[in-house]
Amino acid sequence: MPTPTPIILDCDPGHDDALAILLALARPELRLLGITTVAGNVGLAATTRNALGILALAGRPEIPVASGADRPLVRPLRTAAQVHGTSGLEGADLPAPLAAPRPEGAIALLAELVRGASEPVTLVPTGPLTNIALFLGAHPELRDRIARICLMGGSMGEGNWTASAEFNIWVDPEAADRVFSAGIPLTQVTIDVTHQALVPVAESDAWASLGTRTGRVFADLFRFFAGWHARRYGWDGSPIHDAVAVAHLALPGLVTTEDYRVQVETHSELTLGRTVIDRERLSGEPPNVSVSVGIDRARFLDVVRETLAAFP
Ligand code: BDR
Ligand code: CA
């Protein structure tokens, strides 16, 4: 087995972020160095508590967690509490955190972990890109220590928050613009592809019947999350957006990508937060992003099952 890829998750748990954390802990191809939290799905205190609660549930409280930005760079925070509930992880009770967040905060923890790693680190943002934009601005000397940014956000087709935009990019488009134009290798997992990998509600029965606390908690969380997708789209199942970004890093080829020029709309109120993907190469500019275009859904469902089975 090759050396595991060192990664840092920057997230706003969030039901799908929670499964992304489990995946990052479970996959032998990855080594989770730490977790930083950002305001997004709900406020920062809740996303931080949720990350710590998931680590407690997974029996991995030694993973360092630090909280970052409590609002977007220049805009007020807008949340997705209607999707994730007011706690951000509605549907199940998590254990109390077994560790405190690191006092230095997200930007300092990112710097410490990236600087101290034996090889360049992959950043995996699954919330608004505020922390990552701040980190890149504060530590230009560490850019070469970032192997890649593999993020969940944006869309090629329609949005899921406005007709044009996906939630993570829409919440902090200025931060997203900085990250997309930073010149760092970037992979973008869009909702076009996460929506191709719906996890059927019935999968939660299999998780519950594992007989583990983690299985029961995630079954209950998933049923709550799927309830929103049933009401919103009429689906019998749910995308688990953020877990796709982590799964792709563990299993290259799970998601197929194509390289395009991508820019983020930061001005128009109508199309704010849209990721404009130049599929026809009309701009003449070189590609800056590997954009997801397809996914092996059956393999993804297997990976999710394997992940749930790996915890007590
Ligand atoms: C993204 O928005 C959030 O609600 C989810 O956690 C995911 O990161 C999907 O648009
Ligand atoms: Ca998220």
Side-chain angles (χ1 to χ4, degrees), residues 3 6-7 21 43 57 90 118 120 200 239 254:
T3 325
I7 68 169
I21 294 172
L57 180 70
E90 216 67 44
S118 54
L254 176 83

PDB file of all heavy atoms in Angstrom, residues 3 6-7 21 43 57 90 118 120 200 239 254:
ATOM      1  N   THR A   3       2.089   5.198   0.590  1.00  0.00           N
ATOM      2  CA  THR A   3       1.906   6.044   1.772  1.00  0.00           C
ATOM      3  C   THR A   3       0.554   6.745   1.709  1.00  0.00           C
ATOM      4  O   THR A   3       0.184   7.277   0.659  1.00  0.00           O
ATOM      5  CB  THR A   3       2.996   7.144   1.800  1.00  0.00           C
ATOM      6  OG1 THR A   3       4.185   6.597   1.289  1.00  0.00           O
ATOM      7  CG2 THR A   3       3.186   7.706   3.178  1.00  0.00           C
ATOM      8  N   PRO A   6      -1.820  12.654   3.076  1.00  0.00           N
ATOM      9  CA  PRO A   6      -2.198  13.491   4.226  1.00  0.00           C
ATOM     10  C   PRO A   6      -3.236  14.531   3.819  1.00  0.00           C
ATOM     11  O   PRO A   6      -3.059  15.236   2.821  1.00  0.00           O
ATOM     12  CB  PRO A   6      -0.879  14.155   4.630  1.00  0.00           C
ATOM     13  CG  PRO A   6      -0.010  14.105   3.422  1.00  0.00           C
ATOM     14  CD  PRO A   6      -0.477  12.966   2.566  1.00  0.00           C
ATOM     15  N   ILE A   7      -4.323  14.603   4.578  1.00  0.00           N
ATOM     16  CA  ILE A   7      -5.398  15.556   4.256  1.00  0.00           C
ATOM     17  C   ILE A   7      -5.823  16.334   5.507  1.00  0.00           C
ATOM     18  O   ILE A   7      -5.653  15.871   6.640  1.00  0.00           O
ATOM     19  CB  ILE A   7      -6.642  14.876   3.641  1.00  0.00           C
ATOM     20  CG1 ILE A   7      -7.365  13.991   4.665  1.00  0.00           C
ATOM     21  CG2 ILE A   7      -6.273  14.062   2.404  1.00  0.00           C
ATOM     22  CD1 ILE A   7      -8.747  13.518   4.182  1.00  0.00           C
ATOM     23  N   ILE A  21     -16.247  13.105   7.379  1.00  0.00           N
ATOM     24  CA  ILE A  21     -15.283  12.909   8.478  1.00  0.00           C
ATOM     25  C   ILE A  21     -15.049  11.416   8.711  1.00  0.00           C
ATOM     26  O   ILE A  21     -13.909  10.952   8.809  1.00  0.00           O
ATOM     27  CB  ILE A  21     -15.774  13.601   9.774  1.00  0.00           C
ATOM     28  CG1 ILE A  21     -15.794  15.119   9.598  1.00  0.00           C
ATOM     29  CG2 ILE A  21     -14.896  13.207  10.967  1.00  0.00           C
ATOM     30  CD1 ILE A  21     -16.444  15.877  10.761  1.00  0.00           C
ATOM     31  N   GLY A  43     -24.185  28.004  12.437  1.00  0.00           N
ATOM     32  CA  GLY A  43     -23.141  28.874  12.968  1.00  0.00           C
ATOM     33  C   GLY A  43     -21.898  28.103  13.415  1.00  0.00           C
ATOM     34  O   GLY A  43     -21.913  26.874  13.545  1.00  0.00           O
ATOM     35  N   LEU A  57     -17.863  10.113  18.726  1.00  0.00           N
ATOM     36  CA  LEU A  57     -18.625   8.933  18.303  1.00  0.00           C
ATOM     37  C   LEU A  57     -17.709   7.905  17.642  1.00  0.00           C
ATOM     38  O   LEU A  57     -17.837   6.694  17.867  1.00  0.00           O
ATOM     39  CB  LEU A  57     -19.715   9.375  17.310  1.00  0.00           C
ATOM     40  CG  LEU A  57     -20.625   8.295  16.734  1.00  0.00           C
ATOM     41  CD1 LEU A  57     -21.562   7.763  17.824  1.00  0.00           C
ATOM     42  CD2 LEU A  57     -21.443   8.849  15.563  1.00  0.00           C
ATOM     43  N   GLU A  90     -29.351  17.557  13.004  1.00  0.00           N
ATOM     44  CA  GLU A  90     -30.623  17.158  13.590  1.00  0.00           C
ATOM     45  C   GLU A  90     -30.939  15.706  13.215  1.00  0.00           C
ATOM     46  O   GLU A  90     -30.555  15.242  12.129  1.00  0.00           O
ATOM     47  CB  GLU A  90     -31.713  18.082  13.045  1.00  0.00           C
ATOM     48  CG  GLU A  90     -32.788  18.436  14.035  1.00  0.00           C
ATOM     49  CD  GLU A  90     -32.302  19.299  15.189  1.00  0.00           C
ATOM     50  OE1 GLU A  90     -31.547  20.255  14.960  1.00  0.00           O
ATOM     51  OE2 GLU A  90     -32.673  18.984  16.337  1.00  0.00           O
ATOM     52  N   SER A 118       5.228  15.729   6.479  1.00  0.00           N
ATOM     53  CA  SER A 118       6.439  15.242   5.801  1.00  0.00           C
ATOM     54  C   SER A 118       6.324  15.358   4.283  1.00  0.00           C
ATOM     55  O   SER A 118       7.304  15.216   3.568  1.00  0.00           O
ATOM     56  CB  SER A 118       6.715  13.790   6.200  1.00  0.00           C
ATOM     57  OG  SER A 118       5.563  13.026   5.944  1.00  0.00           O
ATOM     58  N   PRO A 120       3.673  17.369   0.938  1.00  0.00           N
ATOM     59  CA  PRO A 120       2.584  18.337   0.720  1.00  0.00           C
ATOM     60  C   PRO A 120       1.213  17.752   1.043  1.00  0.00           C
ATOM     61  O   PRO A 120       0.949  16.569   0.818  1.00  0.00           O
ATOM     62  CB  PRO A 120       2.741  18.684  -0.765  1.00  0.00           C
ATOM     63  CG  PRO A 120       4.201  18.491  -1.036  1.00  0.00           C
ATOM     64  CD  PRO A 120       4.593  17.290  -0.208  1.00  0.00           C
ATOM     65  N   PRO A 200     -29.879   5.424  -1.378  1.00  0.00           N
ATOM     66  CA  PRO A 200     -31.290   5.136  -1.066  1.00  0.00           C
ATOM     67  C   PRO A 200     -31.559   5.164   0.437  1.00  0.00           C
ATOM     68  O   PRO A 200     -30.690   4.776   1.227  1.00  0.00           O
ATOM     69  CB  PRO A 200     -31.491   3.713  -1.613  1.00  0.00           C
ATOM     70  CG  PRO A 200     -30.361   3.461  -2.543  1.00  0.00           C
ATOM     71  CD  PRO A 200     -29.220   4.316  -2.078  1.00  0.00           C
ATOM     72  N   PRO A 239     -28.243  12.736  -1.829  1.00  0.00           N
ATOM     73  CA  PRO A 239     -26.813  12.846  -2.125  1.00  0.00           C
ATOM     74  C   PRO A 239     -26.076  12.998  -0.804  1.00  0.00           C
ATOM     75  O   PRO A 239     -26.638  13.521   0.155  1.00  0.00           O
ATOM     76  CB  PRO A 239     -26.718  14.133  -2.950  1.00  0.00           C
ATOM     77  CG  PRO A 239     -27.924  14.924  -2.593  1.00  0.00           C
ATOM     78  CD  PRO A 239     -28.982  13.974  -2.107  1.00  0.00           C
ATOM     79  N   LEU A 254     -12.868   7.014  -8.973  1.00  0.00           N
ATOM     80  CA  LEU A 254     -14.272   6.906  -8.555  1.00  0.00           C
ATOM     81  C   LEU A 254     -15.095   8.005  -9.236  1.00  0.00           C
ATOM     82  O   LEU A 254     -16.185   7.762  -9.743  1.00  0.00           O
ATOM     83  CB  LEU A 254     -14.376   7.063  -7.031  1.00  0.00           C
ATOM     84  CG  LEU A 254     -15.797   7.052  -6.487  1.00  0.00           C
ATOM     85  CD1 LEU A 254     -16.293   5.635  -6.311  1.00  0.00           C
ATOM     86  CD2 LEU A 254     -15.900   7.802  -5.168  1.00  0.00           C
TER      87      LEU A 254
END
